[in-house]
Amino acid sequence: MPPIISEEKCVKCGLCAQICPLDVIKVEQKRIIVKYPDECWHCRACAIDCPKQAITMRYPLSHMMLHVDVPTKTKEE
Ligand code: SF4
Ligand code: SF4
């Protein structure tokens, strides 16, 4: 499942297209498009670096099942 780019929030800076290691996102005719959705490996780099928080990740069920909460250390430990 590819990320979703909000048309309302996106300012078309192109950063997500530059950052994506798999060239999933492209800038074409001044439009930001998710051109190769099946290539997305859900690294989240685009969503993290988007200055407008315009990208929403969607994870496949298999990825969600792998989610593990990492316990944070407290001062007492
Ligand atoms: S980084 Fe964010 S604001 Fe910039 S083009 Fe991509 S989605 Fe739009
Ligand atoms: S999550 Fe990673 S692979 Fe997928 S579009 Fe964003 S930067 Fe590219």
Side-chain angles (χ1 to χ4, degrees), residues 5 9-17 32 49-52 54-55:
I5 299 175
K9 293 182 181 175
C10 177
V11 293
K12 300 177 175 42
C13 66
L15 188 60
C16 53
I32 309 298
D49 286 342
C50 172
K52 295 297 179 183
I55 300 178

Side-chain angles (χ1 to χ4, degrees), residues 52-68:
K52 295 297 179 183
Q53 290 82 47
I55 300 178
T56 303
M57 292 300 303
R58 291 186 299 173
Y59 297 101
L61 183 59
S62 56
H63 282 55
M64 288 193 271
M65 292 172 75
L66 288 171
H67 176 80
V68 176

Side-chain angles (χ1 to χ4, degrees), residues 2 5 13-14 17 28 33 39 44 68 71-72:
I5 299 175
C13 66
E28 286 185 1
I33 57 172
E39 301 298 319
R44 213 169 146 248
V68 176
T72 52

